[in-house]
Amino acid sequence: MSSRARLRTRTGCLQCRKRRKKCDEARPRCTGCTRNALDCEWPSGDNQPPDGRSRRALAPSGLSLIQLSSPVVMPAPFQSYENAYLYRYFASTILPRLVRQSSLDQTHMLRLAPQFSPLFGAMVAVAGMQLPCTARWPTRFALQGYLHTIHSLQTSLTDITKAGCDDRVLATVILLSVFESCRSDATSTVAPHVTAAGLLLTQRRPREFRTKAAATFDRICVESFLYHASLMMIFDPLLDALTGVRNELGLPLYFDQLPSLTNQPREAILQASYKFFLLIADVTKLSRLSRPLDSAEVLRWRSLDSDLSRWISLTVSDDMSLSICYLAIQILLQKMNPDITSLERTQRVRSLLEEALRRVPLSKIDSQPPEYLLWPVAILGAVAVRFEERKVLQDFIASIVARKLGGQGAWVQERLGRIWRTASPESASPEPNLVGLQVLLDGG
């Protein structure tokens, strides 16, 4: 037997495994840990690390890790097998899930990671939070990667102009937004990261001489920012990342002009035109108001209502999530409608709610980003009062949470639970709960 084989251990303590030393397995404290004054900890179901000699056993059912074209160069402090596994899971499963078109070249971001440890840490963090297993080690490594990224990124952000031109910094900040939107261990703090991404993007413009992979990267970053800046507003009342930077982003350059070039993709992340997501942000912001609209806000409401009417074709779209989003925006607009009575308002919201609920069970959970489904479902749940309505939404959200597709699922469950307890289906009026909708928008 070779010396390398003798030093490996499958059943020894965690310290001996980490040091790749033979463990005599003396409990409660092995000889090696006693000799070196180390804490002797033994594996359990919660802290069991992956064994490099049985990688297939670690992967959950249905998980297939890609074989990268070349060995991964692991930047410090991510040289462990656990971090390599999470990186490969990000590359094989998470990144393709973020991008709607699987044919797009997604390799640019992956090439940047080994050169920049904050980006590598962000990838590990996102993968660890979304790895579908019950063990605790993925979450532990995810938080370690996140903390390293936050600490290491600070120096790179001192000069915003220079940082905005650095693909590595932009990719890292975008993935921090993804991490916050999918974490389930704590309250999401997505607003600072999304705001930072917007500021970085104001320092950039699409460049025609970029490679196809780099051009795709640009679009992924811009669309990811718009995705989070609009849809995450319902989950974080402090988020208002588009105000003040929208005109500086140069969005038409990305979407209306360069897509005709061969190296510019169509929507990589967004389900519809970027203008639809800008509309979501504008309607959400105005609907946060709990008081009657002033004269300027009434004009703004009518402009938004007119803009939304151009998207009515979404109600007959094959993509159920698009039609549900359209109906949810209508509910937000009717909440503030200055031209109708209270009775007309509740009647319109009731009709929109019933129409949307018929579509919810037909939505394809696995083919959509989680917040894209949770955003309208949260709005529907806030106004739902009947038991059968809430049951449809409750089951749908539970399916998202069970698949570990997004931490906001747990947030929606908690918020809707609070709203529903204040108006139980047994005692509530069948009219929509517009008070509950305001509570949701306030973040309560």
Side-chain angles (χ1 to χ4, degrees):
M1 183 181 293
S2 67
S3 59
R4 180 177 178 83
R6 285 196 305 271
L7 293 179
R8 296 299 303 276
T9 176
R10 288 178 183 265
T11 58
C13 74
L14 295 180
Q15 285 287 2
C16 288
R17 292 191 188 193
K18 183 177 180 181
R19 295 165 58 234
R20 305 177 76 86
K21 298 295 185 181
K22 177 68 175 177
C23 181
D24 64 3
E25 302 183 32
R27 296 187 183 233
R29 188 177 177 84
C30 75
T31 303
C33 289
T34 301
R35 181 171 59 251
N36 294 283
L38 299 173
D39 292 332
C40 192
E41 184 180 1
W42 295 90
S44 67
D46 293 332
N47 63 9
Q48 178 75 40
D51 189 340
R53 292 161 297 179
S54 57
R55 299 183 186 187
R56 293 180 181 269
L58 173 69
S61 176
L63 176 62
S64 176
L65 296 182
I66 63 169
Q67 296 298 321
L68 300 182
S69 57
S70 59
V72 180
V73 178
M74 308 286 289
F78 298 105
Q79 290 92 349
S80 70
Y81 173 72
E82 293 91 339
N83 286 308
Y85 184 90
L86 292 175
Y87 172 80
R88 289 178 179 272
Y89 182 67
F90 177 88
S92 65
T93 305
I94 301 296
L95 186 57
R97 185 189 296 163
L98 295 176
V99 180
R100 293 175 59 238
Q101 301 180 45
S102 59
S103 61
L104 294 179
D105 189 341
Q106 306 161 27
T107 57
H108 185 69
M109 186 184 294
L110 298 176
R111 293 192 189 103
L112 298 173
Q115 314 164 18
F116 195 59
S117 68
L119 176 55
F120 198 99
M123 291 180 176
V124 167
V126 171
M129 277 297 168
Q130 295 196 276
L131 186 68
C133 68
T134 57
R136 294 182 182 178
W137 71 264
T139 301
R140 186 172 73 250
F141 278 86
L143 293 177
Q144 290 173 358
Y146 172 75
L147 292 174
H148 171 84
T149 297
I150 292 294
H151 177 76
S152 303
L153 194 61
Q154 293 177 353
T155 56
S156 301
L157 292 174
T158 53
D159 185 342
I160 194 69
T161 302
K162 181 179 178 181
C165 298
D166 191 330
D167 288 357
R168 302 172 304 172
V169 175
L170 177 60
T172 303
V173 175
I174 290 293
L175 287 183
L176 287 175
S177 301
V178 176
F179 171 82
E180 290 291 351
S181 70
C182 72
R183 71 183 303 179
S184 56
D185 66 306
T187 302
S188 172
T189 53
V190 71
H193 305 310
V194 178
T195 302
L199 292 174
L200 291 174
L201 286 168
T202 62
Q203 307 300 314
R204 302 167 67 94
R205 287 295 181 272
R207 290 163 279 178
E208 296 184 29
F209 58 83
R210 297 271 273 177
T211 65
K212 186 175 181 179
T216 299
F217 167 80
D218 288 343
R219 282 293 297 275
I220 289 174
C221 290
V222 171
E223 292 188 30
S224 180
F225 165 72
L226 290 175
Y227 172 85
H228 287 95
S230 56
L231 298 182
M232 292 300 293
M233 289 177 71
I234 204 76
F235 307 112
D236 189 341
L238 299 178
L239 180 58
D240 186 17
L242 283 163
T243 299
V245 303
R246 180 181 303 194
N247 295 333
E248 300 177 50
L249 292 172
L251 295 177
L253 297 176
Y254 290 99
F255 295 95
D256 298 337
Q257 298 176 22
L258 288 184
S260 61
L261 300 178
T262 56
N263 67 336
Q264 292 291 325
R266 290 290 177 180
E267 282 76 11
I269 293 177
L270 305 181
Q271 317 299 105
S273 165
Y274 75 98
K275 295 177 183 178
F276 184 65
F277 285 82
L278 294 177
L279 181 60
I280 288 176
D282 291 338
V283 172
T284 303
K285 182 176 180 180
L286 188 61
S287 68
R288 286 171 171 172
L289 297 175
S290 57
R291 55 169 174 77
L293 304 182
D294 61 29
S295 56
E297 291 162 350
V298 168
L299 292 176
R300 179 61 173 156
W301 183 93
R302 289 175 178 154
S303 174
L304 293 173
D305 186 53
S306 176
D307 289 344
L308 184 59
S309 67
R310 302 188 183 105
W311 297 95
I312 193 170
S313 61
L314 295 180
T315 58
V316 294
S317 170
D318 292 335
D319 187 341
M320 287 295 164
S321 62
L322 280 174
S323 61
I324 296 172
C325 278
Y326 173 87
L327 295 168
I329 298 174
Q330 279 282 19
I331 288 175
L332 292 181
L333 278 175
Q334 296 310 313
K335 167 188 176 289
M336 307 171 291
N337 192 334
D339 301 325
I340 59 177
T341 65
S342 297
L343 177 59
E344 290 173 318
R345 181 177 296 110
T346 55
Q347 289 174 341
R348 291 190 184 185
V349 172
R350 160 59 54 195
S351 176
L352 292 165
L353 173 62
E354 291 176 353
E355 190 174 351
L357 286 172
R358 287 193 291 269
R359 290 168 164 79
V360 169
L362 304 177
S363 298
K364 298 179 180 179
I365 293 177
D366 292 326
S367 63
Q368 306 288 353
E371 284 71 36
Y372 196 69
L373 298 169
L374 290 169
W375 182 84
V377 166
I379 294 171
L380 300 178
V383 299
V385 292
R386 295 170 177 163
F387 176 82
E388 59 272 18
E389 295 170 345
R390 294 178 176 181
K391 184 68 166 59
V392 169
L393 299 169
Q394 195 174 38
D395 291 346
F396 186 78
I397 298 168
S399 297
I400 295 177
V401 173
R403 287 168 170 79
K404 205 173 182 181
L405 294 177
Q408 298 308 318
W411 186 96
V412 173
Q413 285 178 322
E414 178 186 355
R415 294 302 186 276
L416 291 184
R418 293 180 186 177
I419 294 170
W420 291 347
R421 283 192 293 272
T422 63
S424 65
E426 292 79 11
S427 61
S429 161
E431 301 304 329
N433 184 12
L434 294 179
V435 174
L437 180 57
Q438 187 63 55
V439 171
L440 176 73
L441 292 165
D442 291 339

